[in-house]
Amino acid sequence: MRYRRLGRSGLQVSELSLGSWVTYGNQVDESAAIEMLSKAKDAGVNFFDNAEVYAGGKSEILMGNALKHLGWDRESYIISTKFYWGIADGPNRKNTLNRKYLHHAIDGSLERLQMDYVDLVFCHRPDPHTPIEETVWAMHDMVQRGKALYWGTSEWSAAEIVSAWQIADRHHLHKPVMEQPQYNLFHRHRVEREYARLYEDLGIGLTTWSPLASGVLTGKYASGIPAGSRSTLPGYEWLEKTVTNPDWIAATERLRPIAADLGCTLSQLAIAWCASNPRVSTVITGASRTEQVVENMKAVELIPQLNADLLQRIDEAIGRISVE
């Protein structure tokens, strides 16, 4: 495992990391979480991604319990959480980034995680109803109080990120350091085009999610939706249209000869491709079984092998398929 700086910050994150979206609290219990976290850390992973909204807060509780059981030195790993959607109904409790919500949200996450601070905190989506100035000041205060070390955004537009950065710069506040966008072979425009100026101009780092395009790039949907996959879970029915996209499935099948030549799985190829982008600080992987963690982590061996010729071959196999 190699480590990369998170954007222009001094923080070093493992080039592959482990996230808990969908799985923790839905497909993974505490004993499985302990085992998967251990396998990931054995492979060199030091960043574990979470969010307040995942499984309605249960994901944070599960990860907090697992980490307490493992007893690792707090300095040895990086934990994130994200805020926007909330986990309770009512005004100022969901779909907002106002100061009141953020003030309470971080305390709730820290209680569930059983931690004094998180390393990274993300504004999970932009909030069109709260002035960006209010959000920037609230995030600055969160960092200033030591409840988070770095703050950033997730799925914000380039213009919104620039606006937040400029406000922080003008008032000498803690600036957004990272963005967490979706990035995979079918979803590339935002990372490769829209954000192109942000890396040099603002020093933004990326913690990208969904490297396997909700599982399509594993190849497991070539013959239909298998039982127990995430698209069959209650509340995730919306994934069905994505994972059954015939163009995506056909493109994935065209990647098989490349994976075979490299002696790797489709999953490893797709993950390594994401990490081959030098603008990506870390690729967040997911798993519902320990075996998947072990398989995914082997992608680190492929990253140095993806030279210009192989990357062009992958592009030709995928064609012009993309989702903006």
Side-chain angles (χ1 to χ4, degrees), residues 89-108:
D89 292 327
N92 304 312
R93 305 188 76 180
K94 62 188 303 182
N95 302 335
T96 185
L97 291 174
N98 70 33
R99 176 180 286 274
K100 179 173 176 59
Y101 162 73
L102 292 170
H103 176 81
H104 293 288
I106 184 61
D107 288 341

Side-chain angles (χ1 to χ4, degrees), residues 64-116:
N65 288 342
L67 289 169
K68 183 177 181 179
H69 174 88
L70 289 164
W72 297 337
D73 290 339
R74 183 64 183 89
E75 299 91 333
S76 70
Y77 60 89
I78 296 165
I79 293 292
S80 70
T81 193
K82 300 183 273 296
F83 302 126
Y84 172 72
W85 278 292
I87 55 176
D89 292 327
N92 304 312
R93 305 188 76 180
K94 62 188 303 182
N95 302 335
T96 185
L97 291 174
N98 70 33
R99 176 180 286 274
K100 179 173 176 59
Y101 162 73
L102 292 170
H103 176 81
H104 293 288
I106 184 61
D107 288 341
S109 283
L110 293 179
E111 181 178 355
R112 288 186 291 274
L113 288 165
Q114 304 175 62
M115 296 179 180
D116 296 324

Side-chain angles (χ1 to χ4, degrees), residues 13-205:
V13 292
S14 49
E15 57 191 355
L16 301 186
S17 45
L18 183 65
S20 62
W21 179 52
V22 181
T23 54
Y24 282 39
N26 290 309
Q27 296 172 298
V28 172
D29 61 17
E30 188 172 318
S31 62
I34 291 169
E35 187 175 359
M36 288 193 288
L37 288 167
S38 295
K39 288 294 184 182
K41 196 165 190 292
D42 288 345
V45 170
N46 73 344
F47 171 41
F48 303 97
D49 182 71
N50 215 315
E52 173 195 56
V53 73
Y54 294 168
K58 293 178 183 177
S59 178
E60 290 180 322
I61 293 172
L62 195 156
M63 184 175 283
N65 288 342
L67 289 169
K68 183 177 181 179
H69 174 88
L70 289 164
W72 297 337
D73 290 339
R74 183 64 183 89
E75 299 91 333
S76 70
Y77 60 89
I78 296 165
I79 293 292
S80 70
T81 193
K82 300 183 273 296
F83 302 126
Y84 172 72
W85 278 292
I87 55 176
D89 292 327
N92 304 312
R93 305 188 76 180
K94 62 188 303 182
N95 302 335
T96 185
L97 291 174
N98 70 33
R99 176 180 286 274
K100 179 173 176 59
Y101 162 73
L102 292 170
H103 176 81
H104 293 288
I106 184 61
D107 288 341
S109 283
L110 293 179
E111 181 178 355
R112 288 186 291 274
L113 288 165
Q114 304 175 62
M115 296 179 180
D116 296 324
Y117 70 95
V118 291
D119 302 272
L120 311 180
V121 62
F122 296 84
C123 294
H124 211 161
R125 289 296 185 273
D127 176 8
H129 305 296
T130 297
I132 291 182
E133 291 90 341
E134 179 176 340
T135 299
V136 171
W137 274 99
M139 299 307 292
H140 164 81
D141 290 345
M142 195 182 293
V143 174
Q144 196 73 2
R145 289 184 293 154
K147 297 190 175 185
L149 302 185
Y150 303 88
W151 79 274
T153 58
S154 180
E155 297 294 348
W156 282 34
S157 70
E160 289 163 334
I161 295 170
V162 169
S163 178
W165 194 95
Q166 289 176 338
I167 290 167
D169 186 57
R170 184 163 59 247
H171 296 287
H172 305 289
L173 308 177
H174 290 288
K175 300 179 180 71
V177 168
M178 65 280 178
E179 158 65 28
Q180 188 169 119
Q182 181 176 179
Y183 185 52
N184 54 59
L185 280 161
F186 301 136
H187 202 288
R188 303 171 59 169
H189 181 271
R190 173 156 272 181
V191 166
E192 296 178 4
R193 301 292 182 85
E194 183 183 343
Y195 290 166
R197 292 286 301 273
L198 302 186
Y199 310 122
E200 292 296 333
D201 291 357
L202 308 184
I204 294 293

